[in-house]
Every structure is written in structure tokens, then in C-alpha cells.
Amino acid sequence: MNISRIMCGALVACALLLSPRSVPAQVADGLQAAVAAQREMPRAPRLPRAALLEGRTLVAVRLSPDGEHVAYLRERKDSRSLWLLPTTGGAARTLVGSTQAEQLWWSRDGRWLFLRAPGTLTMVGVDGRSGVRVPLGGSGRRQVVKVDPSQPAAVLLRERVRAGAGERWRIVRLDVHGKRTLLREDPRWIHDLALDARGRIVALARFEGDHDALHRVGADGRLREVLRLRPMQRIDLLATLADGSLLLEGNPGNGAEGNFRRVLRLGADDRLQTLHQDPRGEADLDDVVLDPRTQLPVAASYRSTVAATHGIGSAQATVADIARRFPGRDLGLQVGSGPAARWLVSERAATLRDPRLHLYDPRNGSLRRILDEPGIGTKSPPEAALARKLAIAYTASDGMRVHGFVLLPPGVDVARAPLVTQVHGGPINHFRAGFDGTAQFLANRGYVVFQSNFRGSTGHGRDYVFAPKGDYGNGRVQQDIVEGVRWLLARGIGDAKRVGIVGHSFGGYSALLGLTFQPDLFKVGVAGAPPADLGWSMRWLVRSGSQGDLPDRSLLHTLRALSLDSTDPATHARLHAQSPQANAAKMRRPLLIIAGGADRTVAIREVANYSATLKALGRPLTLLVEPNGGHSPVDPVPREAYLFAMETMLQRHLGGPAPEQPGQRLRAYLRANLRLAGPEFTTFAAPPR
């Protein structure tokens, strides 16, 4: 069978699926065409767990403003280093042999790099010079806001200072020689700001105690509010233009105007103009690219349905040319300054664990692959072994159009395959079109994977986020997920007798709901860090958890706007009445819970209390706890344990392939950390004392 022809058929099917104007018959035909194409492909070889667990070798990659160098952080086992590659050709050279940096930025003049590690900011010259090193975090809550666009080589920092029993916030400029300049001290938490060419703050966005607002800043430092934002509205200040207008991204405005995130220009007369938004009218802006010289927008990307990048203004033809070279791919762009400067193109897809990087010459349209030598890109799983992710949209029982994705295992008759529903966390979050290691792991084992961007998810506009109207218990949100599963089953995708549900955080909560209230549909569940009572969990998160001491305390107001305010007795009572904790007696399906003992997003005591309740009721349960783990596992062995335990559970109850046997370190981890071992894990648990 001709693989390229099959892939072409799958892409055509995706196009049919994703057109908002497609009639239902076209959608059904497109999905069936995709199913047929996937079924005719060769069966994917089974990948080891490590192939989908390994972190990216390239941690961060950045093109210099002049387009002459690419700086990148490279990971080798436990060592990370900073490298510099000339775009005109030649070998890369090491700038820093060992660093803990997770992010990097170029200075405006392209002579310095700023490296951000968890607790420090380090400045490094491209000629090997060392700049200052400044601690981040701490009692001053020091954070990097952005690179200073008005100076050759400086960053803007936000710092907290105590003022009696209260606090104030400073915006400080720090250059590569260590010179500090106080730009503003404010009683409010400033989340973004814009500077003019002289380095003066001309606009800032800050939290006002119950809402965000954008202010113009006068020469005397006084503020004039120009935009007042509602809950779930946010703006980011991109640039100050020569005429005094501001370039923004966000979703300010009332009614339909304030629905989707888009690229905006706020004129000197404070009138808003939309420069670009999703042409399909379905997705929020995900990323915008600026020309380093003019500060004008060059491209905008949208990724909550079909990944698409569009050129803006004079760059339309150039971006369209790049897109033609990479059909069906998700493109990330970085732009050099001037018509002769090269662009960096990041080629991404659901079937690419690691992006492929190319240099594009806008003068002649040439492309050159970079950073693909052995040791950087050769460990990524082959695309043929991974499942294509198809964007879908289905109509809920109340008539609302709900979005999502489905992954179809290559070479598998999906009508006979087990189906796993994967629910994202948040719920203020969403699945994107790109690579998802957990979903690909399950698809590689022969499971159809359904990812629902149920109403309440982000990425599809503010109206979509507020559509649940607070119904996050066994109500409208859960119904969207259930109806999506049944929509797929009705189209011959998945075996109705072998359906499971998995998720982390809010996704874990949904898994508990599914087993509790829809046991006819879901036969087994895996819940990572699950709140068992969403009302209690939200209250704890705001008061005592990771959100309790954040300077931006807008979460409480966001929850109120979403009708999730657990400080309201009626809301708390409603969420509790529909919670898995209050309905534990109804839960009879086999369940695996995975949690972190030091989780500050979902309290371990809540997880432990729910588990003890189920155990007392004699329900089938396995509980795996990483003793000092946070909200999600980070280290290699706990991450592998997560996948192994999930695979073991699903295989036992849905009939997938038997897991590869754990190695010695994984066996020891399971033996030490299985707090409760159901029948699926008795061989790995420590003997009772």
C-alpha cells in the first residue's frame, strides 16, 4: 500500500472534519475516510516506555535578532549546556558547559544571552564574557518580566518589597554590568508593561484587586485606565510603536468582540483595532511573531483545532511559502531583522516528539535542516510508529458544538479496539494539536484515544470557557465528555464494551466522576492527583495551596465568575453533593489513583481521605504515592511508574497488550510506594507487615 497516498487521504479527511461550515454528512465521511486510511497502514512497532518518556534533547532554541546565530540549550543525561550555531554555516561552539537553565532570551543588540534557571538569572556574552548573576524567587519574589526592548542589553525584573504589614511591587531594569534602575514602585501587582524608545514606562497592565486593567502612564507617573478587563480576559503588551500606539495580544472588549484572543493595536487615541484573529472563528491566538527591527507583527498561530500559522501584512507571502513546504504541520517561527536575515522554522506535529528545525532564507526561499546530528534528534520515535491526531467537533445534546481530538492507532481495526477517554487538567486548559506523550503511548498499545475539549476548556474563546455555567459536577461538563465518547462509538470507533477513562488533576476528578456516575460506559479508571470534592479542593487551593500566596490573587475572582466559588455555601453544597467523595458508595469500578505526597495543587490528605473511604467500602482500588512528589511526576522513575501503572490497569480490564516488565529500579519504586495494591499490583507490592 502506498503510504504517501494514505497520508494524503488522512489529511483530506482532517480538512473535511475541521471546516466549520461542513454539513454533518461531510464530517461523518471525513472521519470514516480517516479511519479507513489508518486501518490500511502497517501496524506500528511497539515502542518502549522510555521512547515516549525521554525529555527533549533541545530544551530551548532561540534565533538572534540579526538572524546570524541560533542559541540552544542541549541536554545530555544529567548535564545541560549552552551552544551557539552560526546560521551562515560552520560548527556550533559551547558557551556554557554546565547550566541548570530552562529558558533563554537574546538581548536586543544580540551580544548577550539571558539564562533563566529555577532560582537564578545568568547573563552570558556571545564572546564568552560573563555578566551578572542574580537570584530569583526568594522572599522578594523576584521574577523576570521580559527583555528590555529599549536598551541594548538589559532585562526587566519584578520585585516585592515589604511596606509595614503590606507589600509593594517594584519594576527594576538590570543591565549586563549589574546596574540597577528603579522604573516604578506600585501598590499593585504589575503583570506586564510597555516602554518607549527612551526606556520610560508608557503603559502597564496590573491586577486591581478584583480585575485586571490596562493603564497609560503619564510622564509624571500617573495612571490613566484605558481598558478594564473582565474575568478570563487577559492582555499581553508586545511593543510600543513610534506613533504612540501599543501592540497587544488578548481578548479585551464586550460581547463578541471580547471572545477570542487576537492580535490588537491600541491607537494613540485609545481605539482598539484587530490586526489578526483566527480566520476560522474557532480558536484563540496561541502565539504571535514580531519583527525585531520594526516590532510589527509578522505571523500569528492558532493551535486549539487545526494548527495553523498565518502571515500578517507584508509577511503573508513569505509565511504562505513556508507553510506550503510543510503541509499539515504546526509551524513555529522566529524572525531575524531585515530582508536578508534568516528565519528559524520549527516543524512540529502530533507524530513528532521533538520538533525539527530549519533555517529559511527569505531572499530565495531555501531551507536547511539544522541541529539534526546524532545525539540531538536521532532518539525521537519514528513517525510511522505514532498515531495521527484528528481534530473533531460534535454536537452535544443541547445543541452546542464541542471540540476535541481523536488518535487512531495505525493498522488497527478501531471498531474492535478499546477506547480510552483522556481528560485534560485545569479545567482552565485545553488539548492542542501537537505531540502528547501519554496519548501516543496509549495509541501505540492499540488504544483509540479520545481527548475532549469540553465546554469550559480554554483555546476556543471566552464564551466557551463560561458555557458550563458552573456545572462542573456530574453535570454539563461531564456530559460533554460522555456524549463525545458515545458519538465516537456510534460511528464505529471503539469497542463499547471496553471503554476506560484517564486524566490528571481535573482530568482525574473527571475519571472519578465517570466511574461513579457512568459505570455502564467506563469500565476502568486511572486518576492522577484527583480532587475528590471539587468544592473543598478549590477552597483549599485558594487558601492554603499553590494559589494561596500568589501575588496575583485573581483566581478567587475567576472561580466566582465561573460559578465555582467554594466560599459561597450554596456553590460548595452543590459541588459536594455531586462529588465522588459524597457518592463513594456508588463507585464499584476498578480504579488506580496516583498522587504526590507534597502536592500543593491537590492536597494529599484529600486523596488519602477518599482512598480510605473506598477501602472501608471494600471497593477495588490501587493507590501509588510519590512521597515527596509534587502535582505531577518529574523524575524519570516516577514518570515511568505512572505509565507502567496506567498500562497495567488498562490491560487488565480492557484487554490491551501486556506491559513490558519493569526493571529493577521501577520494581523497587513500586514496592516502596504502593500504599494500596489492588489485584492488578499484588506482585509488585511489599508484603504486609
Side-chain angles (χ1 to χ4, degrees), residues 410-423:
V412 169
D413 181 0
V414 298
R416 300 181 180 181
L419 188 156
V420 175
T421 303
Q422 183 187 15
V423 185

Side-chain angles (χ1 to χ4, degrees), residues 95-96 112 122-133 176-177:
L95 279 181
V96 178
W112 292 85
T122 304
M123 304 181 187
V124 180
V126 295
D127 57 0
R129 288 179 295 167
S130 296
V132 298
R133 181 184 177 94
V176 293
H177 306 295

Side-chain angles (χ1 to χ4, degrees), residues 284-481:
D284 282 316
L285 176 72
D286 194 63
D287 187 33
V288 60
V289 181
L290 303 185
D291 183 303
R293 178 173 54 89
T294 66
Q295 294 294 289
L296 292 175
V298 171
S301 297
Y302 306 85
R303 298 187 172 96
S304 358
T305 52
V306 183
T309 296
H310 305 275
I312 301 175
S314 61
Q316 290 183 63
T318 303
V319 175
D321 179 57
I322 296 172
R324 280 193 294 270
R325 311 288 189 90
F326 301 99
R329 298 301 206 184
D330 173 13
L331 300 179
L333 302 177
Q334 296 181 42
V335 180
S337 179
R342 288 165 177 81
W343 292 21
L344 180 65
V345 179
S346 175
E347 175 195 358
R348 297 174 287 196
T351 51
L352 288 176
R353 190 195 70 185
D354 304 314
R356 294 172 181 162
L357 297 166
H358 310 262
L359 286 173
Y360 175 83
D361 191 332
R363 295 171 297 179
N364 55 27
S366 64
L367 277 165
R368 176 164 60 90
R369 179 94 181 264
I370 61 169
L371 302 180
D372 60 340
E373 63 265 24
I376 291 183
T378 56
K379 293 183 179 180
S380 188
E383 285 200 76
L386 300 178
R388 274 63 194 170
K389 180 186 284 191
L390 306 177
I392 60 173
Y394 54 96
T395 303
S397 56
D398 63 353
M400 185 166 182
R401 191 165 185 259
V402 181
H403 301 278
F405 296 95
V406 63
L407 288 84
L408 306 175
V412 169
D413 181 0
V414 298
R416 300 181 180 181
L419 188 156
V420 175
T421 303
Q422 183 187 15
V423 185
H424 66 68
I428 310 302
N429 201 349
H430 65 279
F431 288 114
R432 291 168 173 81
F435 178 82
D436 184 307
T438 299
Q440 288 290 356
F441 173 77
L442 294 174
N444 185 253
R445 269 48 180 173
Y447 299 98
V448 174
V449 181
F450 166 55
Q451 299 179 326
S452 175
N453 277 339
F454 47 84
R455 74 189 72 189
S457 303
T458 53
H460 299 281
R462 184 176 180 274
D463 293 346
Y464 198 81
V465 173
F466 283 96
K469 299 178 181 177
D471 203 0
Y472 288 89
N474 181 35
R476 188 62 259 180
V477 167
Q478 189 71 7
Q479 197 172 344
D480 278 355
I481 298 166

Side-chain angles (χ1 to χ4, degrees), residues 43 92 208 263 375 397 554:
R43 184 70 183 261
E208 299 293 340
V263 186
S397 56
S554 60

Side-chain angles (χ1 to χ4, degrees), residues 92-172:
R93 60 185 174 92
T94 309
L95 279 181
V96 178
S98 179
T99 177
Q100 296 300 311
E102 298 173 340
Q103 187 56 276
L104 64 87
W105 302 279
W106 284 93
S107 63
R108 194 198 72 182
D109 64 7
R111 297 180 180 181
W112 292 85
L113 287 157
F114 305 115
L115 307 183
R116 189 189 69 192
T120 57
L121 174 72
T122 304
M123 304 181 187
V124 180
V126 295
D127 57 0
R129 288 179 295 167
S130 296
V132 298
R133 181 184 177 94
V134 59
L136 300 177
S139 60
R141 299 291 184 85
R142 184 182 290 122
Q143 292 178 309
V144 179
V145 179
K146 60 173 61 173
V147 173
D148 190 332
S150 70
Q151 305 297 309
V155 293
L156 301 174
L157 304 174
R158 178 175 49 238
E159 301 174 343
R160 181 176 69 175
V161 291
R162 294 293 185 183
E167 60 189 13
R168 295 178 66 83
W169 296 92
R170 287 176 177 168
I171 299 297
V172 175

Side-chain angles (χ1 to χ4, degrees), residues 80 91 196 257 308 323 339 392 401 432 661:
R80 191 173 293 174
D196 63 15
E257 182 187 30
I392 60 173
R401 191 165 185 259
R432 291 168 173 81
Q661 287 300 302

